[in-house]
Amino acid sequence: MTRLAPNPPVDPETERPGGDSPADSRTPSAWWHARWVVPLALAVGYVLNVLFRLSLVRKLDYPTVNPDEPMYLVMARMLAGRSTTEIPSDQVIPAGYSLLISPALRVTEDPVFAYHLILGINALLSCLVLPLAYWALRRLDVPRAVSYIAACAVTLVPPVVFYSQFGMADTPLPGLVLLWLIGLHGLLLDGGRRRRTWFGLMGAFAAGYCLLTHDRGGVIIALTGLVLLAALVRNWAPRIASALCLAVLAVMFVLKQLMTSWMMSRIDGAKPSEVGNAVFQTLENTRLLRRTIMRVVGHIWYFLTSTWGLGALALLVCVLVVFSARFSRADRVVAFLMVSLLGGIALAAAAGLPNDHRIDTITYARYLSPLVAVYLVVAVAVLYRVRSRKKLVILGAGTVAVVGAFTAVLLHMAQHQWAKSYFILWGLPDATFLSSLWSEDWKHFHAARTTVVALIVFVVLLALRLLGGKRRAALATGAVSVAMAALAGWGTVAITDNVVQPNHDWRYADGAGFLEKAGLRPGDQLVMDRAFRWETRVTLGYEVLDGRVWTRALIVNEAPPAGANVAVLALVDDSAPPTDSWRRVPAGWHVDRHVPEYDFVIWRRD
């Protein structure tokens, strides 16, 4: 991880070794330094965070984020050994996350109970941020007590918690990114060969599993390969260690290809993800250059404000570290990776997202969310290790300037786009929470208000740190971490109540509601008409867990599959008889039931 002082670490103001200063060492009680305390505290904190997450998702029964969740869940059912079925969009995406949640689909055929188990696995994966953030902070020479409180705060922040409330690959990524950077820093730092090799293998595996989990992993594995090649050529690390790490990357890449090929062989008509092609096609199109730049600015703006300006502070320090010869090579390389990853993912997302006329496509939260934890870790370390009030004020002013500059550019480039774009609350949870603190409005997007509130939070946190001065840096940073944890918990609960739960309730007819109304029986094989509601169709690939589904253009006389015994077609005219839903029905089919409140008709084969 990026240190905040030259190697060996010293406090630039007092010339004391990094870590606890004499004044700071008196802050925690002596018992805190017992060997058993930290493992116990981490275990208790981990369990409490898991229980907190489970309390947030106790009322969630089915996937609601289409088509992403059903795609991961359909792949998970196949990795669990269940029957093949249709996959939304006919695209096979990386299946590393699906592999992690697949055990939930081995133990039950009840889709609701299976979804509860998946969210339980999510909680276990997401809370790994706690020990990893603590480890990273200790490597940044932050005292134990402060590291623990700050790690708890990082684990609670909305961008880390929010995506774990859905069956989506974003859940394990914050922990994987932390593990990746810790590993590469340990590889490049001076030390024994064996120790550096193990660190490097850990970082390479984390990078490879990011690729196995989501397309964003392509940016991570490319940066990792670049660093490892440089380390091999320039002897930055033991060459055997660098070579082994490159071999791990190659194995993980091959494994990803094999998993994709296996999935495609099991799913009729499936094809590999087209995200990478879309990215390069957009980047080569000069007519889309302005749109791409606008989105890059918007995505980074969202990241900076969703971290309450602390992400901007960490970004500013990382840029300074990259260009400062006073820091060790390991520090500078990790700082370079953090900055490059932020820009690389923002650029890839900006180019890869479709032109769907949504505000959150311009200011997207999701793709940069895995970086929130590591940037907050660095920000807390900055607040602790920089002892000079003058330097803190300068860094604070620079942070405000960075956030203000991104806001100004975004308003200039995107203001006219927002007026003709859709507001989707699910895609803007953090920004809407911040702006709601100003106006209590959860139904509109307010970029300027979001920025102002985020900067107010940042200034308050910085003021808390400044009150501690040089001698009480640990106490003041601990107070900042407590405030962060309080705001993070508040924001997470508010977003759950105002975004997650309403979105779930609104999708009831696509999930459990359809199963209840349609009267499906164990083992039913369902064919869906292509004109039937899209949200329901993509959800049913998972919901019909003990059977399978197909999509066919039934109303234009496409024959249902031979194995199908149930069909669902839309009937939007309430005055028409149910038989009008399938006027060219093949012989042997009859109307089983009409569900007028959801506008569909269920047919069964005799």
Side-chain angles (χ1 to χ4, degrees), residues 222-300:
L223 290 171
T224 307
L226 176 65
V227 167
L228 291 177
L229 285 173
L232 185 65
V233 172
R234 302 182 67 85
N235 200 25
W236 289 351
R239 283 197 164 94
I240 184 64
S242 301
L244 287 173
C245 292
L246 285 169
V248 169
L249 287 186
V251 168
M252 297 299 285
F253 177 81
V254 172
L255 181 59
K256 187 251 185 185
Q257 299 299 108
L258 291 174
M259 289 182 72
T260 300
S261 299
W262 183 82
M263 285 288 178
M264 291 175 59
S265 69
R266 298 258 299 169
I267 304 172
D268 293 339
K271 53 186 180 293
S273 173
E274 298 175 351
V275 172
N277 293 336
V279 170
F280 288 110
Q281 289 171 3
T282 300
L283 293 177
E284 293 170 358
N285 190 341
T286 56
R287 293 179 298 177
L288 297 177
L289 180 61
R290 186 185 187 280
R291 189 192 77 175
T292 302
I293 294 174
M294 175 184 67
R295 289 179 174 184
V296 169
V297 172
H299 293 193
I300 295 178

Side-chain angles (χ1 to χ4, degrees), residues 416-589:
H416 67 286
Q417 292 287 339
W418 291 332
K420 52 186 178 181
S421 299
Y422 299 103
F423 170 73
I424 306 295
L425 179 57
W426 187 89
L428 297 160
D430 313 283
T432 311
F433 164 68
L434 289 173
S435 64
S436 73
L437 299 179
W438 181 291
S439 63
E440 299 185 0
D441 180 10
W442 286 83
K443 297 182 178 180
H444 301 89
F445 174 65
H446 303 284
R449 292 179 187 175
T450 298
T451 300
V452 171
V453 174
L455 289 179
I456 289 174
V457 172
F458 173 76
V459 170
V460 170
L461 295 176
L462 183 62
L464 282 175
R465 171 60 188 90
L466 289 172
L467 289 175
K470 297 179 183 179
R471 295 183 57 81
R472 298 296 179 189
L475 184 62
T477 309
V480 169
S481 300
V482 170
M484 286 173 56
L487 180 60
W490 177 21
T492 294
V493 172
I495 289 172
T496 300
D497 291 342
N498 291 277
V499 181
V500 179
Q501 194 63 52
N503 184 68
H504 175 270
D505 296 343
W506 181 58
R507 298 287 190 187
Y508 171 77
D510 300 320
F514 178 87
L515 295 184
E516 293 170 1
K517 298 292 184 180
L520 296 185
R521 305 163 190 165
D524 278 344
Q525 312 293 308
L526 177 68
V527 59
M528 305 171 290
D529 181 57
R530 200 171 296 279
F532 184 52
R533 177 174 163 83
W534 176 80
E535 290 85 354
T536 309
R537 283 195 287 113
V538 298
T539 304
L540 291 178
Y542 163 74
E543 290 292 303
V544 184
L545 192 55
D546 55 352
R548 69 163 297 174
V549 300
W550 298 268
T551 297
R552 297 290 187 269
L554 299 177
I555 59 173
V556 295
N557 213 28
E558 185 174 357
N565 69 312
V566 181
V568 57
L569 295 94
L571 183 66
V572 295
D573 186 355
D574 294 337
S575 62
T579 52
D580 280 6
S581 62
W582 197 358
R583 299 189 181 215
R584 303 178 184 178
V585 58
W589 290 82

Side-chain angles (χ1 to χ4, degrees), residues 354-434:
N355 188 23
D356 54 6
H357 304 290
R358 288 171 48 160
I359 293 175
D360 55 295
T361 300
I362 302 172
T363 57
Y364 202 37
R366 178 185 169 194
Y367 285 156
L368 290 176
S369 62
L371 281 67
V372 167
V374 70
Y375 268 78
L376 289 179
V377 162
V378 171
V380 170
V382 170
L383 293 177
Y384 170 71
R385 293 200 54 80
V386 178
R387 303 298 173 86
S388 167
R389 281 194 173 95
K390 180 180 178 181
K391 290 181 179 179
L392 284 170
V393 170
I394 292 174
L395 286 173
T399 298
V400 173
V402 169
V403 177
F406 272 94
T407 304
V409 174
L410 177 64
L411 291 173
H412 173 73
M413 298 189 72
Q415 191 78 44
H416 67 286
Q417 292 287 339
W418 291 332
K420 52 186 178 181
S421 299
Y422 299 103
F423 170 73
I424 306 295
L425 179 57
W426 187 89
L428 297 160
D430 313 283
T432 311
F433 164 68
L434 289 173

